[in-house]
Amino acid sequence: MIANITKGRKAVGAILYDFGPGRRDEHVNPRIVAGNVTGTPMQVARAIDHTARQRPEIKTPIWRTSLSLPDEDGVLPDAQWAEIATAFVADMGFDGAPWVAVRHGDDHVHLTVSRVDWSGQLLTDRWDYRRARQAADRLEEEHGLVPARERFRAEGPQVRNNELEAARRRGRAHDTALPPEREELRRIVREVRDASRGLGRAAFESGLEDAGVSFRANVAPSTGRMSGYSFTLAGWTDGDDAQVWVAASKVAKDLRWADLGKVLGDGPATPTVPDPRAELVAAARATSTGLQDGPTREELAAAAEILRRGQAERGVVPVPEQQVARSTDPAAAQLAYWRAVAAGQKPPVEEVPAAPAPIPAWTDKVRRPHGKLSNDGLAAAIKRREKELADLTRSKALAEKEIRTGDAIVTGQVTGPYVQELHQLLARLEKAEPHITTAETAMRAALAADEAADAARKVWREADGRKDMSRWALWRMDTSRSQEETRAKKASETIHESVDVAAQSRTEASTAFDLARKETGVPDPVGELSRLRTGWSELVGEAHGRDQVHGKAQRHNGRASAERATASIAKVEKRVEELRQEQALRKEMPKGQREAEGRARSAAARAALPKSRKAGTGKRYGAQYERPAHLRQPPPTPGIQGPTL
């Protein structure tokens, strides 16, 4: 995975590019796959820019990167890209600021991040390329992706787009018989190097000429020191028809002179220019006379001439001797000393360094109370304070998150908890609506069965009452005893059937109501669903008002918590700095003082420990208590010695 980092002034332009047609490839189905800002693309871009405008002095507050994958990794789903983008932003330390990830292709995703967090603090982008590479390596291992370090060879710079296009115009490409010039140089020079191993530079340069490679040896004219080669091929020119020369390190890293010289194993192939200063030294030595107390005037003149020529080669303008400060170089100091002796002047006196400032004792007020701590206690105190600092930092991050959430609720970027709860309740009721419908249908069937049973009971009572009437009375009613018995029997059967149907329907309704209550968590799902659908607009407005109050309170509480955490962090950081200064002071102080302080601290710690109580001297055997018999001893009699053991 490759992270391509850029920086800009506004997020609107970046988001417009992500959702636009693109410059190199078609942007297909652009969509937001991750981020901590919600809304339409332009709303998201404006929210990021709004946060970045808190620090108008920052010229490029927008941090952009594209995470791209090779074809070997395939096409990842949006959910996995969301995990990768979220983890990458967290590893870069930008998760406390607004950011968004947009995907409009199969193999890459674009991240747009504000380097100004929600509270207006600037997030550092120092070493962001190195941190991005480390984060990408970790994500490659975590998600099983092809490591980028294995895909790109570290042997030397690769052929880039512009160079590759120019090589194609010259009839060279990777898929043809003639590769790009840089690739061909790498192959030829390595072959010549391997053939000239241990034979020296002359054989190496002869092999390059035979292979058709032009070269230049980069040798310093003043020292004759070899620093490396530059290579080119015939016909390799730029747009101005000038020959293109490439340093050996730009062809391949193993062709640098530091590595190539060891392989060739030989000195320079071309003679170096003789150093004229050697003649002056030889002349001075020839005119010197035996053993003496220092150099002669001729040697001093030769040394001065060598110094003057060296300054001329380096472009140094000589300064009058009285204006030159005393050098800390031992050789320069010796030369100045013998110059003064040769001129009959008084040699410069060595400056006595000032005595270092005395280090205060461990009991001094400056080092209190940390000076009393032992070395182990000092390290433990630093560790304890650092843990406290980490806890406070986490508390501050949580408070800032609470501020962001409250601010998002107040500004309407995020739906508040009360409106969310209302929507969730309606969704649960609509999901349980089939159970509610089943329960209502079953209850209607049960009521119909109850009505049928009541009607059948009325018929049965009427028929049962006519069984004891006379035949004449029954004849007058146009019926008979047998007809009434049959009628009573049918009514009885209808009663039993209706009662069974009503019981079964009530059981079915009860089961459906229980399922609806379990799914919705509401004791009366039917009434609640009717209430929501009837007064939905009023209920949403009321919930939104409660969310506004809740968001303002949450933002206020978060700011108070963040201020307290910031003050505590400042105090703890000051204490940690004092502890670290004490630790550094002990490392810099003289060994004798360090050992003496250690002994003094140990003695003070031992003196502060509570003394152990001897047996028989505590409160249990005080003056008001009588010692037990086995501890009693008779007082010694004057003049009588005790038994001899």
Side-chain angles (χ1 to χ4, degrees), residues 440-507:
E440 290 178 341
T441 304
M443 284 302 298
R444 285 194 294 268
L447 293 175
D450 288 339
E451 291 177 359
D454 291 340
R457 288 189 187 95
K458 184 177 180 181
V459 172
W460 179 84
R461 284 193 296 268
E462 183 180 353
D464 187 66
R466 293 179 180 181
K467 290 190 300 182
D468 298 333
M469 295 177 66
S470 63
R471 291 181 179 180
W472 172 254
L474 293 174
W475 177 79
R476 290 180 65 182
M477 293 179 183
D478 197 15
T479 184
S480 63
R481 186 172 293 175
S482 60
Q483 289 178 353
E484 294 300 326
E485 288 178 354
T486 302
R487 186 181 172 199
K489 183 178 179 180
K490 288 182 178 180
S492 177
E493 291 176 356
T494 302
I495 291 171
H496 287 294
E497 290 177 0
S498 299
V499 169
D500 292 340
V501 170
Q504 184 178 358
S505 298
R506 283 190 172 86
T507 302

Side-chain angles (χ1 to χ4, degrees), residues 97-156:
W99 67 277
V100 68
V102 178
R103 184 181 185 186
H104 52 217
D106 293 336
D107 59 346
H108 67 283
V109 64
H110 290 272
L111 303 181
T112 305
V113 186
S114 169
R115 290 200 297 121
V116 181
D117 64 5
W118 300 99
S119 61
Q121 184 176 359
L122 179 65
L123 303 178
T124 180
D125 60 344
R126 189 176 184 184
W127 306 111
D128 52 352
Y129 290 92
R130 181 183 301 177
R131 290 189 286 140
R133 182 67 265 156
Q134 294 173 354
D137 292 342
R138 188 188 67 79
L139 290 172
E140 287 170 351
E141 182 178 359
E142 181 179 344
H143 291 268
L145 304 176
V146 177
R149 299 184 185 277
E150 296 181 3
R151 291 169 42 225
F152 295 95
R153 293 174 294 175
E155 58 183 7

